[in-house]
DNA sequence: CGGTATATTGAGCAACCTCAATAAAGGTGG
DNA sequence: CCACCTTTATTGAGGTTGCTCAATATACCG
């Protein structure tokens, strides 16, 4: 887990601990931020998976991105009057809370951490950028591979991959909602991909047979991810 | 133009002016940041339209969002080693440059401006979020209306709308690239929308016949945009 | 042991795509 | 001022990806 993170001075850690007044546990399926919610707090993911989403009046839902340990959640929601998206827990998860009213103090007194907050925000942004490219321009098979490859790479950096196997808590419905596809077509495309032998998704686990092969297909393993700050 | 912006103290303005070492003019079609470019600077749009995009090896292109005066451009590119997207000018444009190496100083010495940078980054993020919802879950007609409505609303706040008419420098190719559609289908859908009488796009101008009607169609005019900081 | 969430498969349909040709508009050099 | 070239817009024809509807497994849960 360590190589992916920067280190911080003792003083910063102490101040951070003071700001993070709360730890919260949420269980799988729980809402963390509701769409349209006011005064949402800022969170840091300590463990577990969550996802950010938007929906239309008629129920169509688009998952914007998935959050893994170390990710920031709710930056926009904390900065604006109300949230323009929802956040739900995919698995049981632990979150650190940074109260929104203390955010300004953080900028005043801990510029380095403030910088890291911006950095993490930009990092999340670039994931959404990539998802928009995926949904806008890739076909169904490419979309699935791109998402799987992205999650695999991120999880690998967190030390969550062993022998090409990792936990994969998404249902096919989540995949469909993240990729702008219907559930049925997601299922059929997944079945077709299964025969390709690149990877398998079953029983909440993802098994990648040949990481380099997946990478070539999705042109996705190429760009390494930079070390990131912890907040 | 004023009501959309916060005001700043003289001291802050002075410091900002010092940081913005350069003004740059670019002409329509010029690249501001190339995909994969290293050491890109951070920019503030002073006048004109620009857009951020990503592309795949085979030439498929996805426009991520459009930048209007007051928007920040290149935050991720300035924060990371290299850029994961390109930026091009849609019209002639003027940009203020904030050199990337001075960004940290800004966080150290001007926490309020640092906060605003984060705010503007989050604002841009929420636009990309909305675009992802649009591309992932709306049909062709809805996509066009959603984008047009969004640009209309933003331009209106900047004072760029008079009697329901505004400059609209996008070609149909830009619309298609932003919406995840083919050029041909964009054209045909646009033609069908024309008969609906909600709005017209012609000669680089957008004319909205009935702003409230467009809003109802796209469920998009409802949420007002908050006042924003200037950087 | 029913009940709910998830996964799978078939059938038919339509939204959107690609290919291709033509019009219309603007810019440039002679 | 005209001929030419490039960019942008338009329209038709036909194909395919991905959608909806619907039925059936499969697994987990209390």
């Amino acid at each position: 887990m360590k190589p992916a993170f920067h280190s911080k001075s003792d003083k910063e850690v102490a101040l951070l601990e003071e700001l993070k007044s709360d730890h919260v546990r949420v269980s799988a399926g729980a809402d963390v931020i509701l769409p349209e919610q006011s005064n949402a707090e800022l969170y840091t993911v300590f463990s577990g998976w969550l996802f950010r989403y938007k929906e239309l009046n008629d129920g169509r839902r688009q998952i914007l991105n998935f959050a893994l340990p170390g990710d920031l959640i709710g930056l926009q929601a904390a900065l604006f009057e109300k949230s323009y998206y929802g956040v739900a827990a995919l698995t049981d998860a632990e979150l650190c809370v940074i109260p929104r009213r203390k955010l300004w103090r953080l900028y005043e007194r801990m510029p380095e951490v403030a910088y890291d907050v911006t950095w993490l925000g930009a990092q999340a942004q670039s994931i959404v950028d990539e998802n928009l490219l995926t949904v806008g321009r890739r076909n169904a098979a490419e979309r699935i591979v791109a998402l799987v490859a992205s999650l695999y790479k991120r999880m690998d950096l967190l030390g969550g991959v062993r022998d090409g196997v990792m936990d994969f808590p998404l249902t096919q419905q989540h995949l469909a909602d993240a990729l702008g596809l219907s559930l049925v077509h997601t299922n059929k495309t997944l079945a077709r991909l299964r025969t390709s032998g690149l990877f398998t998704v079953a029983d909440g686990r993802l098994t990648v047979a040949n990481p380099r092969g997946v990478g070539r297909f999705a042109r996705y393993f190429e760009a390494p991810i930079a070390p990131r700050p912890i907040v």
Side-chain angles (χ1 to χ4, degrees), chain A:
Chain A
M1 204 156 187
K2 290 103 190 176
F5 292 92
H6 288 159
S7 53
K8 294 224 173 303
S9 74
D10 291 348
K11 187 176 133 227
E12 280 169 351
V13 171
L15 246 169
L16 266 179
E17 286 312 315
E18 179 206 326
L19 286 175
K20 288 180 188 167
S21 44
D22 261 332
H23 266 235
V24 184
R25 268 167 207 280
V26 294
S27 41
D31 292 311
V32 174
I33 297 177
L34 293 167
E36 313 271 308
Q37 179 181 330
S38 294
N39 301 318
E41 310 291 3
L42 179 60
Y43 301 93
T44 274
V45 180
F46 185 75
S47 70
W49 294 53
L50 299 96
F51 63 91
R52 234 158 46 82
Y53 67 94
K54 273 177 166 265
E55 37 191 21
L56 297 175
N57 297 343
D58 60 10
R60 286 177 283 181
R61 181 175 77 162
Q62 179 65 40
I63 291 181
L64 303 169
N65 65 316
F66 295 94
L68 301 181
D71 288 338
L72 224 48
I73 276 200
L75 184 56
Q76 293 145 272
L79 248 28
F80 305 148
E81 291 307 314
K82 70 164 193 181
S83 177
Y84 292 100
Y85 55 85
V87 175
L90 197 55
T91 66
D92 292 348
E94 295 170 275
L95 307 174
C96 304
V97 185
I98 302 175
R100 51 149 49 203
R101 57 193 171 69
K102 291 190 183 169
L103 191 56
W104 165 242
R105 184 136 63 98
L106 188 154
Y107 270 74
E108 248 180 343
R109 291 172 44 189
M110 303 168 61
E112 182 160 330
V113 178
Y115 192 87
D116 288 345
V117 166
T118 306
W119 195 98
L120 286 168
Q123 169 72 15
Q125 165 84 272
S126 79
I127 288 177
V128 178
D129 287 351
E130 181 67 28
N131 289 345
L132 179 49
L133 172 65
T134 292
V135 170
R137 290 297 163 201
R138 294 197 233 242
N139 65 33
E142 290 172 330
R143 291 184 205 188
I144 291 177
V145 174
L147 179 55
V148 165
S150 159
L151 291 172
Y152 180 88
K153 188 163 61 165
R154 290 170 66 193
M155 210 53 192
D156 193 23
L157 276 171
L158 293 172
V161 175
R162 191 185 305 271
D163 299 326
V165 181
M166 60 175 257
D167 285 340
F168 193 81
L170 316 210
T171 66
Q172 293 185 1
Q173 184 68 62
H174 291 119
L175 278 174
D177 285 350
L179 297 174
L181 297 171
S182 72
L183 174 60
V184 173
H185 196 60
T186 301
N187 178 287
K188 287 174 179 169
T189 307
L190 219 34
R192 234 174 299 127
L193 280 174
R194 205 170 293 138
T195 71
S196 81
L198 286 175
F199 62 87
T200 352
V201 176
D203 300 324
R205 314 194 142 271
L206 164 71
T207 307
V208 175
N210 178 355
R212 307 223 68 252
V214 178
R216 232 177 301 119
F217 186 22
R219 301 170 214 77
Y220 206 89
F221 276 90
E222 328 310 345
I225 300 179
R228 53 157 50 196
I230 312 180
V231 170

